[in-house]
Amino acid sequence: MWNWAAHPVTWLSFLGMLIGAVVILLLTLVVVMYSIYWQRKLIGWLQLRIGPNRVGPFGLLQSAADVFKLLIKEDVVPRKVDRVLFLIAPIIAFVPAFMALSVVPFSRTHVFTANIAIGALFYIAMSTISIHGVMLGGWASNNKYALIGGMRSAAQMLSFEIPIGLSVVGVVLMNGSINLNDIVNAQAHSGWWNIVPQILAAIVFLVASTGELNRTPFDLPEAESELVGGYHTEYSGFRFAFFMLTEYVYLFAMAGLFATLFLGGWSGPFLPGWLWFAIKAFLFISVQFWIQATFPRMRVDKVMPFAWKVLMPLALANLVITAVLRAVL
């Protein structure tokens, strides 16, 4: 617990936290912008297409042009929506996804992130709150397609959140700490990454995170052939951009958590810690885009049973095996 008497928050420390938040926000926006660019390029190569190549050298400014287009579009608010909830739903979805990044250790020094004792638990708590923004966006839109998309998304994200949490518990049990930086240090000292002894948990995490992020093949909440656009059907302009920003910020946060838990985080030889972290997060993001270009969308009646009847038992089995090995060894 934080001792406020021994460590009072001064104006200087508050200014440092504010500057850190701004730096992380700017970094996140750059990562999101070029994640979208890399998604288009990678899927284009895999499908024998060119991808963006017009705006800027090699199309590098295409995402910036798309963001500018969304910002200058008319902000249309339908007449019969629940106006208050409709306007704040994108913010409720974005803020927790961004706050989850505050505990992910990008480097050894923790210049802009918090080294708290309950880092993994805080991350899971923040990622769960994002579900409320998605659900409220669908509910407030007063549109049956948006409502079904919001309900689908809430049910799916909650279902896949449980296997993710159980896979995280396996790593926490093996390393004896819920502090994300302690988990990275344990991997650095042991000489191998957690993905070796926790390969089952890593597989469950990778698959479940795909469902949690509503990405192909689990992109049922945004199934355009059935729901037009899902929970954000009625959104336009910068509010629609907020939902898209949330999706890719959450992808970056999930990549950071996977790199921290299973790939040693910032630890590695020769290169700076932040560069090792960036490489590992980039690999996770690229795998997600590869899956998107390769797999067809699952049927809606197969997604939820897959989470509960396949991923959940595997995560529980990994947890039991890890506990037994910890007790014996």
Side-chain angles (χ1 to χ4, degrees):
M1 182 178 295
W2 182 264
N3 189 339
W4 293 102
H7 304 281
V9 177
T10 64
W11 283 107
L12 188 61
S13 60
F14 176 78
L15 181 61
M17 289 188 289
L18 184 62
I19 293 174
V22 172
V23 170
I24 293 298
L25 177 60
L26 294 176
L27 172 65
T28 302
L29 293 177
V30 173
V31 169
V32 167
M33 185 180 302
Y34 286 101
S35 292
I36 297 172
Y37 171 80
W38 175 238
Q39 175 184 1
R40 292 171 170 177
K41 275 294 187 182
L42 181 61
I43 295 177
W45 291 334
L46 291 173
Q47 297 177 348
L48 300 179
R49 296 185 289 106
I50 296 175
N53 66 339
R54 296 290 183 182
V55 185
F58 307 104
L60 288 171
L61 299 180
Q62 181 63 57
S63 296
D66 291 338
V67 170
F68 180 72
K69 178 188 69 175
L70 289 172
L71 291 177
I72 64 175
K73 271 192 171 182
E74 181 182 2
D75 180 27
V76 178
V77 179
R79 184 175 56 186
K80 295 186 178 182
V81 301
D82 187 323
R83 187 176 181 86
V84 175
L85 293 180
F86 184 85
L87 296 181
I88 67 173
I91 301 173
I92 295 175
F94 169 75
V95 171
F98 176 66
M99 288 183 65
L101 287 170
S102 65
V103 295
V104 177
F106 297 110
S107 65
R108 188 189 307 271
T109 55
H110 298 285
V111 176
F112 299 118
T113 55
N115 182 20
I116 61 176
I118 57 169
L121 183 61
F122 179 86
Y123 179 98
I124 293 174
M126 288 297 103
S127 64
T128 304
I129 296 176
S130 289
I131 301 172
H132 295 79
V134 171
M135 184 63 193
L136 286 175
W139 169 264
S141 295
N142 195 23
N143 176 301
K144 61 182 178 180
Y145 298 111
L147 177 60
I148 294 172
M151 294 175 66
R152 273 190 183 182
S153 186
Q156 179 174 315
M157 293 173 75
L158 284 172
S159 298
F160 282 97
E161 189 82 36
I162 298 174
I164 290 177
L166 291 175
S167 62
V168 172
V169 171
V171 174
V172 169
L173 186 62
M174 191 184 72
N175 292 274
S177 175
I178 202 171
N179 185 309
L180 293 178
N181 195 57
D182 289 346
I183 293 174
V184 175
N185 286 325
Q187 295 175 86
H189 294 153
S190 66
W192 62 53
W193 296 340
N194 285 335
I195 196 172
V196 177
Q198 289 286 307
I199 181 64
L200 183 56
I203 294 172
V204 170
F205 187 101
L206 178 62
V207 177
S209 64
T210 307
E212 171 78 3
L213 294 166
N214 294 331
R215 300 192 66 85
T216 308
F218 307 115
D219 57 338
L220 273 302
E222 302 174 19
E224 68 280 354
S225 59
E226 308 161 25
L227 302 177
V228 185
Y231 57 89
H232 50 62
T233 298
E234 298 292 349
Y235 284 88
S236 61
F238 74 96
R239 299 189 196 280
F240 173 79
F242 246 97
F243 274 123
M244 292 297 99
L245 176 63
T246 301
E247 181 177 326
Y248 284 91
V249 168
Y250 200 8
L251 173 63
F252 177 44
M254 196 68 76
L257 184 63
F258 184 86
T260 299
L261 293 176
F262 298 104
L263 300 180
W266 43 257
S267 64
F270 309 119
L271 300 177
W274 64 267
L275 186 55
W276 273 116
F277 178 88
I279 292 171
K280 295 167 185 177
F282 175 77
L283 289 176
F284 178 90
I285 293 173
S286 297
V287 169
Q288 289 290 335
F289 296 159
W290 177 25
I291 292 172
Q292 179 180 351
T294 305
F295 288 91
R297 179 181 294 141
M298 289 184 68
R299 272 170 41 188
V300 64
D301 61 324
K302 298 293 183 181
V303 173
M304 303 294 284
F306 180 76
W308 291 101
K309 296 181 180 179
V310 178
L311 295 180
M312 176 78 105
L314 289 176
L316 287 172
N318 176 77
L319 192 58
V320 171
I321 294 171
T322 303
V324 170
L325 292 178
R326 286 285 293 177
V328 172
L329 301 177

